[in-house]
Amino acid sequence: MGTPDFAAVCLKSLIKGEYEILGVLAQPDRPKNRGHKIVYSPVKSLALENHLNIYQPDSLKGDEIYDQMKSLAPDLIAVAAYGKILPERILNIPKYGSINVHASLLPKYRGAAPIQRAIMAGETETGIRIQYMAKELDAGDIILEKKLEIGMNENADELTKRLAALGAEALPEAIEMIASGTAFRTPQDHARATYAPMLSRADSPIDWTRPARAIACQVRGLIPWPCAEMTLPVAGPVKIWSCEAEEQKINHPDMTPGKILSAGKNGLEVACGDGGVLRVMEIQAKGGKRMPFADWYRGHPFEIYNIII
């Protein structure tokens, strides 16, 4: 069970492992982009390429999908970024239970956006934990974990790719442990649980009173969607695609948070709440393409004197 690229990488590892895959569940097809054309999810596309049975129920609560899953009589259900809550009666169908590939070091960052929220919180380490699924969200016993460091300037899109590869490595290992009877069940410390709610455009606006490093983490965590946003003269709201944080306080007569300090070939420098500076390197104006700030600024110059954004 899975839907996006992250899940497709995990499914590919099972296909290569020559397991008997009885069926693949993915979310229903959705219209995408301006043309509203129906686009298959990465998991559905991979399933079709490999002639696997594909199921796309609108809901998992009905009797029809439950009866279909039960008739398949699977030994195991493997889940990776499916995007829907699984009812307990479906979790209990397989002989060996249901397991989930979760992209955080549980119990931290349970929920829909663990990769992005970890970056936004300034974490320097994350990883994959394979867990038995339970009725409560991401609260099941841990089978195994694999850790990795988060790069200083790594964004969520880049980290997702690395974690997908790590998950694809961990999933067959966990399955072999279950098959051989050597799988551990390590309960989570629920008192240490934190949650990673789904992203929304409400996460985008930048609060310049925050420290420069925290704002840079916000920018990195919101790539590729919904992206951090600021408002520029002559452009209005723009998305930020890359930036650098200068945390050392600089000698400038006006370090009011949000004050534009410079704009030009070296990017856009903005004062932050800790006395540091955020240097914006790449932006995307509404209706435009992402581009280096210097290139955009040559076509949209503005006076920076006393501008606070």
Side-chain angles (χ1 to χ4, degrees):
M1 296 184 177
T3 303
D5 286 314
F6 181 95
V9 175
C10 294
L11 174 59
K12 189 173 293 185
S13 73
L14 299 185
I15 294 171
K16 289 180 178 178
E18 298 182 352
Y19 298 98
E20 183 184 359
I21 302 173
L22 302 176
V24 175
L25 268 75
Q27 291 226 37
D29 302 329
R30 312 285 188 196
K32 196 172 183 181
N33 300 326
R34 293 181 180 178
H36 297 289
K37 293 183 178 179
I38 296 296
V39 177
Y40 291 168
S41 70
V43 163
K44 179 176 180 177
S45 296
L46 182 61
L48 293 175
E49 288 171 15
N50 288 275
H51 311 291
L52 300 173
N53 296 322
I54 183 81
Y55 303 87
Q56 295 179 275
D58 289 320
S59 170
L60 295 176
K61 295 179 181 180
D63 290 337
E64 182 179 356
I65 188 62
Y66 172 75
D67 291 340
Q68 286 176 325
M69 295 298 99
K70 195 169 183 179
S71 68
L72 291 175
D75 289 321
L76 188 74
I77 289 177
V79 181
Y82 177 52
K84 289 181 181 291
I85 302 295
L86 273 65
E88 191 173 14
R89 65 174 183 166
I90 286 183
L91 294 179
N92 293 335
I93 288 174
K95 177 180 178 181
Y96 294 100
S98 300
I99 62 174
N100 179 48
V101 183
H102 191 77
S104 82
L105 299 179
L106 292 167
K108 296 180 73 173
Y109 303 107
R110 295 174 178 175
I115 300 171
Q116 297 88 339
R117 297 293 180 186
I119 292 177
M120 293 168 72
E123 299 283 0
T124 58
E125 182 183 60
T126 186
I128 292 290
R129 280 193 166 173
I130 309 293
Q131 58 162 334
Y132 283 104
M133 298 185 73
K135 182 179 180 180
E136 296 77 16
L137 179 65
D138 296 328
D141 295 344
I142 305 301
I143 302 171
L144 66 81
E145 74 170 16
K146 291 182 179 289
K147 297 181 178 180
L148 55 74
E149 292 185 0
I150 301 174
M152 179 65 73
N153 296 308
E154 189 170 24
N155 65 43
D157 191 40
E158 295 163 342
L159 183 57
T160 297
K161 290 180 173 65
R162 290 208 295 142
L163 284 169
L166 197 62
E169 177 185 312
L171 180 57
E173 288 184 28
I175 292 173
E176 293 306 317
M177 290 169 66
I178 293 169
S180 64
T182 60
F184 299 102
R185 294 192 73 121
T186 304
Q188 295 186 38
D189 182 354
H190 302 301
R192 294 178 52 245
T194 62
Y195 289 88
M198 186 179 299
L199 299 177
S200 76
R201 296 191 188 279
D203 294 304
S204 295
I206 289 177
D207 175 3
W208 295 104
T209 65
R210 300 176 71 215
R213 173 55 56 185
I215 296 174
C217 289
Q218 176 188 1
V219 171
R220 291 162 47 223
L222 295 180
I223 290 173
W225 188 92
C227 289
E229 285 190 353
M230 64 180 180
T231 300
L232 284 180
V234 312
V238 299
K239 295 179 178 180
I240 304 177
W241 283 93
S242 69
C243 66
E244 297 174 356
E246 299 288 342
E247 298 174 83
Q248 185 175 358
K249 295 184 180 181
I250 66 172
N251 184 21
H252 191 280
D254 184 2
M255 288 298 292
T256 302
K259 172 75 168 62
I260 294 180
L261 305 176
S262 69
K265 64 180 181 180
N266 294 323
L268 174 76
E269 293 186 327
V270 185
C272 301
D274 62 344
V277 173
L278 190 80
R279 180 179 295 111
V280 177
M281 310 300 293
E282 189 177 10
I283 66 169
Q284 182 178 8
K286 188 175 181 179
K289 297 180 179 179
R290 55 185 289 189
M291 64 175 64
F293 174 82
D295 293 348
W296 178 86
Y297 185 66
R298 277 195 293 269
H300 306 81
F302 55 84
E303 293 289 336
I304 69 168
Y305 178 73
N306 233 14
I307 291 179
I308 297 177
I309 56 177

